[in-house]
Amino acid sequence: MRVPATSANLGPAFDCAGLALTCHDVLDFTVTGSGLEVVVSGVGAGELPAGESHLVVRAFRAACAELDWTPPGLRLVAENGIPQGRGMGSSAAAVVAGVVGAWSLCPDAHRIDLDAVLRLATELEGHPDNVAPCLLGGATLSWMEPGGARAARLDVDPSVSPVVLVPSGTLSTHVARGLLPDAVPHADAAHAAGRAALLVHALTREPELLLAATEDRLHQRQRTAAMPESLALVDRLRERGLAAVVSGAGPSVLVLARPSRDGSEPTDADHLRAIDDLSPPDWAVLPLQVDPDGARVFHGNAQVSSR
């Protein structure tokens, strides 16, 4: 199966919006006669645990308990492409992979219930803003109800071409969240509500408005102490008219570049050149696309119940 990287918040839609990106972890689950084997290559190879504490395995076991199924043994092969600790949803991808992997292999599960997967994956991850786009693809809006997490999927305008700028250093989501105040001014809350609503329109219908739609007052500036270089980069990019935001909890930066449709505006190559020129020399520049599919199962017993 394959699960995408994600970028959450997208500026003002804190803990509510996310975007699936064409950077992936690819995983293979095999039910064996006994024991557990975990093989990891790519990002995190030699660093991630290779036993029951591996996050994918933990999510797999939680889903098995939900399904009342106990496989005799498991072999997990993971080829990781998603940068970890960079605000690109690596933990959400691991959780979604484990839960969907269990659902797809369980002999009694004939369909993958996306609502149930979303609820369980959110319980394990703690919030749905990365889980939802990883599972459903495209852009998502997510929220919590008494029965658990809910999400709605949006088709993104095809001219939106995300670029992620990835520093060498990492940042803990827990640390980043700890810098946020317990309360915000009413004016900032109203500003966030308006820009978050505009963000939906800009992503789906009118990308020309993305610079205004991604302006944030709720969480990015409050985290400057933990990632000053990221916020400085966001400022430089936005001064050049590029819709740049902190990706998730950071420290990566997401740019929602919009290539030209009619030649009257800078081309995709011009956008990338401008972004690269403004980025610190030791940051990786990843031109990506919006992943429309989310988590994909290539083999297994269960079929996805709805999309």
Side-chain angles (χ1 to χ4, degrees), residues 22 39 45 68 71 92 110 131 137 155 189 248 250 252 276 282 286 295 303:
T22 53
V39 180
D68 195 24
H110 303 297
V131 166
D155 288 321
S252 294
D276 190 56
D282 58 339
L286 306 181
Q303 300 298 315

Side-chain angles (χ1 to χ4, degrees), residues 59 92 107 131-132 164 204 225 248 271:
V131 166
V164 182
T204 59
H271 273 295

Side-chain angles (χ1 to χ4, degrees), residues 1 27-40 49-65 69-78 94-95 97-107 299 301:
M1 69 172 301
L27 307 99
D28 181 69
F29 296 83
T30 305
V31 175
T32 62
S34 63
L36 171 66
E37 181 184 6
V38 178
V39 180
V40 178
E52 292 289 345
S53 60
H54 191 287
L55 185 54
V56 175
V57 176
R58 285 157 44 201
F60 182 90
R61 300 294 192 212
C64 287
W69 172 56
T70 304
L74 175 68
R75 184 173 192 263
L76 168 66
V77 178
V95 168
V99 174
V100 173
W103 233 278
S104 68
L105 289 177
C106 178
H299 303 285
N301 298 317

Side-chain angles (χ1 to χ4, degrees), residues 6 18-21 133-134 136-140 153-156 290-294:
T6 52
L19 190 68
L21 304 169
C134 182
L136 303 176
T140 57
R153 184 187 179 282
L154 306 172
D155 288 321
V156 179
V290 176
D291 183 321
D293 299 317

Side-chain angles (χ1 to χ4, degrees), residues 41-138:
S41 62
V43 177
E47 301 172 2
L48 296 173
E52 292 289 345
S53 60
H54 191 287
L55 185 54
V56 175
V57 176
R58 285 157 44 201
F60 182 90
R61 300 294 192 212
C64 287
E66 183 88 359
L67 293 163
D68 195 24
W69 172 56
T70 304
L74 175 68
R75 184 173 192 263
L76 168 66
V77 178
E79 182 180 346
N80 295 339
I82 303 174
Q84 298 178 357
R86 304 305 204 287
M88 293 182 66
S90 60
S91 65
V95 168
V96 169
V99 174
V100 173
W103 233 278
S104 68
L105 289 177
C106 178
D108 296 326
H110 303 297
R111 291 183 178 274
I112 297 175
D113 185 335
L114 292 182
D115 290 336
V117 169
L118 176 65
R119 287 194 297 270
L120 177 58
T122 298
E123 289 174 12
L124 297 171
E125 175 70 358
H127 39 85
D129 52 349
N130 288 102
V131 166
C134 182
L135 179 63
L136 303 176

Side-chain angles (χ1 to χ4, degrees), residues 218-254:
L218 281 184
H219 65 101
Q220 294 186 156
R221 200 62 52 191
Q222 291 83 339
R223 293 168 165 171
T224 301
M227 45 180 166
E229 197 170 24
S230 300
L231 271 300
L233 177 56
V234 167
D235 288 342
R236 290 198 299 273
L237 291 163
R238 294 186 69 84
E239 287 169 1
R240 290 283 296 269
L242 296 166
V245 296
V246 173
S247 181
S252 294
V253 170
L254 170 70

